[in-house]
Every structure is written in C-alpha cells, then in structure tokens.
Amino acid sequence: MQLSIFGLGYVGTVSAGCLAGDHNDVIGVDPNETKVDLINRGLAPIVEPHVKDLITENVRDGRLRATTSVHDAVSNSQMSMICVGTPSQLNGNLDLSHVRRVCEQIGQVLAHKDAYHIVVARSTMLPGSMESVVVPTLEAASGRRAGTDFGVCSNPEFLREGTAVRDFYNPPKTVIGENAPHDGDLLAELYARIDAPLIRTSVKVAEMVKYADNNWHALKVAFANEIGTIAKAAGLDGRQVMQIFCEDRKLNLSDYYLKPGFAFGGSCLPKDVRALTYKARSLDLDVPVLNSIMVSNRVHIERALELIASKQNRRIGILGFAFKATTDDLRESPVVELVERLIGKGYDLRLYDSNVNMAALTGANRDYILNHIPHISRLMVSSAAEVVDFGDTIVVGNAAEEFRSAAGQVNSDKVIVDLVRILDRNSDGGYEGMCW
C-alpha cells in the first residue's frame, strides 16, 4: 500500500519504519528539513531501539522516503496518517493547531485529486475531535465531503517509549474507528499480519479508548505507589505486597469490576477503603487516589439521583435494592442510599427484591433493616409486576435475572433507568442507561 505519514516525531517515525518494514511504500512528511534529511540519509530523527535499523533498511530498499511537500506525499499515496503532536494547553485541553494545519494542507491537495483517499488520525485526540475538527477542516479545504469523496478513520496507537517497535508488531489490540466499512477494510489490510485482536468500532469510541487506556495506566501507577507508601510506613515491603496482589488474575488483573454501572457497596469494599485511608492518616501520609475512591462513589450515586429526577416522574419503582444480585445484604447498598435520598425529596416509591424477604432475614441483615432503615421496609411489595405497574419511572438497581424480563415488559409510556445494564439497549426516550 502507498502511505503518507504526517509528523516525523515519535509516533510518526516508528509508524513509518514499521509500516515500510511490512512492505508498504511510505512517504514521511514534516516541515522540519532536518528530520526529512535524516530520514532520507537512512538515519532516525528519534532515539528508540531498533528504529534506526528499520529506517536504514527501508530507505536503502526504496520503501521509505521523506519530504516537506504535502502535495508530493498526498498525490503519491492512497492513505494519509496524521501523527502530529497534540500538546496540552494551560487549562488542560489539547492544542489541536498542528492537526488542524495538517488537515488544511491535505484538504488542499484532495481538492485536485481524483482518486479516493483515506485520512487516518493516529494522533491522540479527545472523543469528538474527528467530528468537530478533522472532518470539517478537510471538507472546508477540499470542497469535498467525507464518506463520499474521501474517507476518514481513527487508529489510536499503543506504543510505549523504549519498546515501541516491539509494541507495534505485538500490540494488545488494534483499534479502527470508522464511519464507512470500506474505509476500515483498507486500513485493516495494514495490520493483516499482526497477531492481535482487531476491533472495528465507531470513530468516537476509538478516540475514547486511547484515553481509557492511558488514564487506567496512570491510575495503576498512582495506586501501586500509594499502597507501597502505606506498606513501607507500616514496616512492610510494598513491592512484595503488590507482587502478591498481581498473582490474582481472576479479579485483580482482569476485566472484573471494569464494566461501567452503578456504585459499589456491601460489607467489604466501603469498610476496607475507609480503614486503609484511616491507617494512612494515622501515619501522616497523603494518599489522594485512595482518598478519592469513596468521594467518587458518592458522586456516582448523585449522578443516578439526577438521572432519575430528570425524568420528572414522582412515582418511582425500584427493582432490586440489595447491593448486588443473588444476595440479601443491604449494608451500604448504594441503592438503599439512593432510595433514602428519593424519599427525602418526596418521591413516592415501591421496592421489590426477592432476596430481601422480611420473613427470611436473620442476624445482621434483620437488625439492619428493622433498626436502621425501617421506613424502607414499608415500601416493599411482593412482586416485580407490582413495581412495574406502580412506577412511572422504573429503576433497575441490581442485575437479578428476573428483572431482565420485568424491565422488558415495561410499557412505552414509562421510563426505565437502568443502573446495571440489565437490558442491552442504548439510551433513548424511554430508556436511560447509567453509563451508556
């Protein structure tokens, strides 16, 4: 395939070398003549293991060259990849001026190019940037329409400095965001020989995935550092603690708990988060990530309350209020917190959870419901059907299987607020998902 790669910085140079190494004809484009000259002499403009060898070999074999001419690059390629920088502004937003400028330049050439051309963004941009910046700029500069006269895709990179070449050929996944399947088909051909999951999705989802990845990585570093800090202050080896932590591949290092939904609760997580942050305070340690966990959980409950209130219905039916399905445990259930907040605001509620049966509750659970939340017991009904008949807004609070059919039978004149994705739907007029 014939490719032009805009921006010969870190991502652009690695991408150019690796794609040329896969027997594509690659033209690197950069306004910096020094970078262009280095590439054309078979040298790398960045320091990164194995990149220089790739550049040398592919320039020698005629598969890679560089230029400052946008017209030359776009005219002699089928696909252009945008790999320019998107640095932070003072307020934390991205500076997309380099992206905008490159799109203007590409568009000006596309105005006079007859062949269909695909523009691929590998630069990291916030979700919606392709729609609000890349496409309008290309269309304005070319006088042509995306999806008809030229294609656009998002193709986020997952390269780490120091291991970038290995990461390119052995990625955790390849993500293609596309508006039209035929555009994604051509882009997917570039990765046909790479053994990794190929995920094709919408452009906005592809843009967001990169941010989910990087923020998760940052969170992991901060989390491990704070656990290590507390461990050391307590006379322990934090590395040993985290090494044992990482042995758990079923819960700790897995997709478990990483599905957006409602807040956490129960008898373990809230108690243990509070206990560890108390320990940190007693040791005069500042652990802002751990301290923020309970704050974030409370804010998520607030979001649910706002979501329910936005439907402007006073009669609310709650399906499931134990802290999760298949349990009768109401201790620190976020749904109980939500119910109490709704009661306090004057809403009329009915609740049902087959696992929370007054006649069967014993021990701590019975004491909790009788002495801590007796007002809630008076709102309980004996079936999901009663909840569905009563409420104008039906809130699904946990993922008990019986609620799937109950929610699916809600009349179109009612609203479902789904906190756990019991129904596989996207939000619309009669259905609202918590995070989808």
Side-chain angles (χ1 to χ4, degrees):
M1 192 179 301
Q2 295 173 313
L3 306 171
S4 53
I5 294 182
F6 284 77
L8 293 175
Y10 180 79
V11 173
T13 298
V14 172
S15 297
C18 292
L19 288 168
D22 279 345
H23 301 283
N24 297 289
D25 294 321
V26 179
I27 306 170
V29 192
D30 201 288
N32 187 316
E33 293 184 359
T34 300
K35 291 183 178 181
V36 168
D37 181 60
L38 285 170
I39 293 284
N40 287 332
R41 289 193 288 125
L43 301 174
I46 64 168
V47 176
E48 176 68 28
H50 311 300
V51 168
K52 181 183 179 298
D53 293 340
L54 280 169
I55 299 295
T56 300
E57 177 184 348
N58 288 295
V59 169
R60 182 194 65 212
D61 294 345
R63 289 190 295 267
L64 174 63
R65 65 183 178 91
T67 181
T68 59
S69 171
V70 175
H71 185 274
D72 172 19
V74 176
S75 298
N76 291 290
S77 60
Q78 304 162 265
M79 181 183 293
S80 294
M81 288 188 163
I82 299 173
C83 298
V84 299
T86 55
S88 287
Q89 296 178 332
L90 292 177
N91 65 359
N93 194 14
L94 296 181
D95 179 358
L96 297 183
S97 59
H98 300 302
V99 172
R100 189 176 286 104
R101 178 58 182 153
V102 163
C103 289
E104 289 173 350
Q105 294 172 330
I106 294 172
Q108 288 165 3
V109 181
L110 292 182
H112 306 287
K113 183 174 180 179
D114 294 330
Y116 190 81
H117 195 88
I118 299 175
V119 179
V120 178
R122 278 176 74 74
S123 297
T124 301
M125 294 184 288
L126 289 166
S129 298
M130 290 287 285
E131 182 179 80
S132 64
V133 175
V134 172
V135 170
T137 305
L138 287 167
E139 289 183 335
S142 67
R144 300 188 175 188
R145 292 189 59 79
T148 302
D149 304 312
F150 65 89
V152 291
C153 289
S154 176
N155 180 213
E157 47 81 21
F158 303 99
L159 307 177
R160 296 169 296 171
E161 294 188 37
T163 60
V165 173
R166 186 177 69 193
D167 290 344
F168 186 94
Y169 290 119
N170 301 278
K173 56 186 175 289
T174 299
V175 179
I176 294 174
E178 60 192 34
N179 290 329
H182 57 82
D183 297 336
D185 289 344
L186 190 62
L187 180 55
E189 290 180 18
L190 291 179
Y191 304 108
R193 293 193 294 173
I194 290 180
D195 184 17
L198 176 63
I199 301 155
R200 296 173 65 170
T201 183
S202 70
V203 167
K204 283 186 178 180
V205 168
E207 291 173 313
M208 186 64 185
V209 162
K210 179 61 183 288
Y211 282 92
D213 278 36
N214 280 358
N215 280 267
W216 174 237
H217 299 159
L219 178 60
K220 287 196 292 184
V221 171
F223 174 79
N225 287 342
E226 290 190 3
I227 292 294
T229 298
I230 297 173
K232 181 178 180 180
L236 307 172
D237 183 344
R239 287 258 175 176
Q240 184 180 19
V241 171
M242 289 307 296
Q243 184 176 4
I244 296 171
F245 171 91
C246 291
E247 288 296 316
D248 182 350
R249 297 290 204 261
K250 292 182 178 179
L251 298 179
N252 291 348
L253 303 183
S254 72
D255 61 356
Y256 210 82
Y257 300 121
L258 287 174
K259 297 177 177 66
F262 198 35
F264 64 78
S267 60
C268 295
L269 298 187
K271 172 179 69 70
D272 291 343
V273 171
R274 284 194 293 266
L276 189 60
T277 52
Y278 171 81
K279 180 67 174 178
R281 288 196 302 275
S282 72
L283 294 167
D284 290 328
L285 299 175
D286 186 13
V287 286
V289 170
L290 294 174
N291 285 336
S292 70
I293 293 174
M294 294 304 296
V295 176
S296 176
N297 210 47
R298 287 196 298 272
V299 169
H300 207 54
I301 294 172
E302 291 279 353
R303 290 192 191 100
L305 186 64
E306 292 170 3
L307 196 59
I308 294 167
S310 71
K311 304 309 171 186
Q312 299 184 334
N313 293 321
R314 305 304 299 178
R315 291 158 60 97
I316 311 294
I318 309 286
L319 293 173
F321 57 104
F323 87 96
K324 67 177 182 179
T326 70
T327 180
D328 61 358
D329 198 346
L330 297 176
R331 290 171 294 177
E332 302 220 40
S333 167
V335 186
V336 169
E337 171 70 16
L338 186 65
V339 167
E340 291 186 312
R341 298 285 296 276
L342 290 168
I343 292 171
K345 290 180 176 293
Y347 288 87
D348 193 4
L349 278 73
R350 297 293 184 275
L351 295 75
Y352 170 73
D353 192 316
S354 60
N355 291 310
V356 184
N357 186 313
M358 283 297 294
L361 286 171
T362 59
N365 285 335
R366 180 177 177 81
D367 174 74
Y368 183 80
I369 197 167
L370 291 178
N371 297 313
H372 293 273
I373 53 172
H375 49 294
I376 287 181
S377 67
R378 294 192 293 269
L379 303 175
M380 293 169 58
V381 296
S382 59
S383 71
E386 289 179 72
V387 166
V388 170
D389 288 343
F390 171 82
D392 295 317
T393 294
I394 308 301
V395 178
V396 183
N398 67 43
E401 186 59 33
E402 63 180 310
F403 299 149
R404 189 181 310 278
S405 59
Q409 295 170 11
V410 173
N411 294 335
S412 58
D413 60 340
K414 298 174 182 280
V415 177
I416 299 172
V417 174
D418 189 350
L419 304 181
V420 294
R421 196 151 200 165
I422 198 79
L423 298 179
D424 189 16
R425 291 171 56 181
N426 292 321
S427 295
D428 54 37
Y431 174 88
E432 191 80 50
M434 186 68 206
C435 299
W436 51 90

